[in-house]
Amino acid sequence: MAGDGGGGAQEVVIVGGGIAGLATAVALRRVGVARGVVVLERHPELRATGAALSVFPNGWFALRALGVDHKLASRYDTYDTYVVGVRAVDRKSLLEALAEELPPGTIRFSSKLVSIHTEAAAASTSSSQTTTVVLRLSDGSVIRTKVLIGCDGVHSVVARWLGLSEPASCGRSAVRGLSVYPTGHGLKAELRQFLSEGLRAGWMPVTRTLVYWFLANNTVPAEAEAAGDPAKTLREVTENLARHMPSEYLDVVRHADLGNLSWSPLLYRNPLDVLTGNAAWGSVTVAGDAYHPMTPDMGQGGCTALEDAVVLARALSTAATPAEGVAAYVAERRRRAAWIVAGAYLSGWVQQGGTNVHGVRGYMVKLLRDRVFYRFVYPRLADTMWYNCGDLKVQRKKEAQNRNVMYGEPTKKLDCSTFHRSSL
């Protein structure tokens, strides 16, 4: 791809090779939306770093629609929280499971998007439906595409181009890590959580030898120096932030793999902007964290990204034009995404006793948390975790024939109708 204009033309370009990007590529191929789907990943290889993620039932419904659930279900046990079943999944394993479904060359590594502009398609009007999107990469190459999907994370270039608001800090940060026990950890398959003033911590076994743990804290000055240094981060957690935590929690933390340890601010997009913001322009849109970045307090970041992939692919496969498909996708996702972003923010703020809230106000927040939130509000939020985004239906034969020039060949139908709660 070196050289000016060396990228050529593509049917669909997805920016970002994380969960949202790879899932969207898999979904598009399964419904036959495009003969050529390209994923641009700025890193030189599939991102292997990162801790685990919680996959709730809504995530498994989406994974089933994508046809990859069987690769993961047998490797990770299900265990129940007090409201819903969940599996902790190694992020790397999920990315690999998705990448295996894509033909060689689909993911173009070391491909960093730097700018976007548009040009009118030949012999067409200036309508957004007949506009070509032109992408320039950091190596100088140029790619022209009919459909652009930004899955490039919280600081998305595509979201910024669309005019979505910049993600804001919620005043909290999170340390996340994977702890390794070569001979087995012996912990129960359950989510353990510890609450303190301005701090929430916990762990979740992933496999017999891996434990995912987290610590969410009110942002402190020490983060600026320690965040980029795993050793300093671990020392700050054990000697300062979590020093008063139970010894069993500290033991898990001390087994951390430094290569999978991170400390970063928790960002989110204003739910109102998710609901009303410009998440689509013609055949350009965003998915996952690029669309609805949220705090991790409901464990829904990865799950909603998987939902986006299924809904977007289905919308594009049934629409007359890519622009109509993108518009249908955004219309379907707006309300749910905004509600989950708001719910996650509220969940984190209340459970940590309120960010930087002290005295009588702090006491009232704790009272709200223990007497109201856990008993009445959180169960309602947990209902969203049973959401089924549906399957990837194949276009009818006549429709497919009419769209083959733009989209490509359909694939067989997947049915999630038997994927009930008891099977999770």
Side-chain angles (χ1 to χ4, degrees), residues 9-10 117-122 124 127-134 143-146 281 283:
Q10 302 294 335
H117 69 276
T118 60
E119 60 185 25
S124 73
S127 166
S128 63
Q129 293 188 13
T130 56
T131 297
T132 297
V133 182
V134 184
I143 299 177
R144 289 171 170 80
T145 184
K146 297 177 181 178
W281 185 89
S283 57

Side-chain angles (χ1 to χ4, degrees), residues 342-365:
Y345 180 92
L346 175 65
S347 179
W349 190 85
V350 171
Q351 289 187 87
Q352 283 187 221
T355 301
N356 297 321
V357 176
H358 305 286
V360 175
R361 289 184 62 197
Y363 172 78
M364 295 301 295
V365 172

Side-chain angles (χ1 to χ4, degrees), residues 178-186 205-212 255:
L178 276 177
S179 290
V180 181
Y181 294 77
T183 59
H185 50 69
V206 179
T207 65
R208 187 181 64 85
T209 60
L210 291 177
V211 179
Y212 165 65
H255 280 80

Side-chain angles (χ1 to χ4, degrees), residues 60-186:
W60 287 102
F61 285 128
L63 287 171
R64 173 127 183 202
L66 294 169
V68 300
D69 61 311
H70 64 283
K71 296 182 179 181
L72 301 166
S74 61
R75 298 174 57 183
Y76 303 101
D77 294 331
T78 302
Y79 51 93
D80 292 330
T81 66
Y82 72 101
V83 289
V84 70
V86 62
R87 284 185 175 101
V89 174
D90 184 350
R91 185 179 296 270
K92 178 184 177 182
S93 296
L94 174 56
L95 292 177
E96 290 175 343
L98 293 168
E100 289 168 359
E101 299 295 309
L102 301 173
T106 299
I107 308 172
R108 299 187 182 181
F109 295 105
S110 300
S111 298
K112 181 180 179 181
L113 175 65
V114 295
S115 67
I116 305 169
H117 69 276
T118 60
E119 60 185 25
S124 73
T125 68
S126 60
S127 166
S128 63
Q129 293 188 13
T130 56
T131 297
T132 297
V133 182
V134 184
L135 312 176
R136 182 171 293 275
L137 308 187
S138 59
D139 64 357
S141 60
V142 173
I143 299 177
R144 289 171 170 80
T145 184
K146 297 177 181 178
V147 180
L148 173 63
I149 304 169
C151 299
D152 45 341
V154 175
H155 302 290
S156 168
V157 175
V158 182
R160 191 176 300 119
W161 184 84
L162 286 170
L164 287 170
S165 64
E166 288 295 318
S169 171
C170 68
R172 298 184 293 127
S173 300
V175 183
R176 286 170 275 204
L178 276 177
S179 290
V180 181
Y181 294 77
T183 59
H185 50 69

Side-chain angles (χ1 to χ4, degrees), residues 194-217:
F194 309 91
L195 297 176
S196 180
E197 175 112 18
L199 188 147
R200 185 166 68 93
W203 75 63
M204 180 187 302
V206 179
T207 65
R208 187 181 64 85
T209 60
L210 291 177
V211 179
Y212 165 65
W213 61 269
F214 65 90
L215 184 145
N217 62 284

Side-chain angles (χ1 to χ4, degrees), residues 14 33 64 73 103 222 228 233 291 354 396:
I14 298 169
V33 164
R64 173 127 183 202
T233 295
Y291 184 9
R396 289 175 296 182

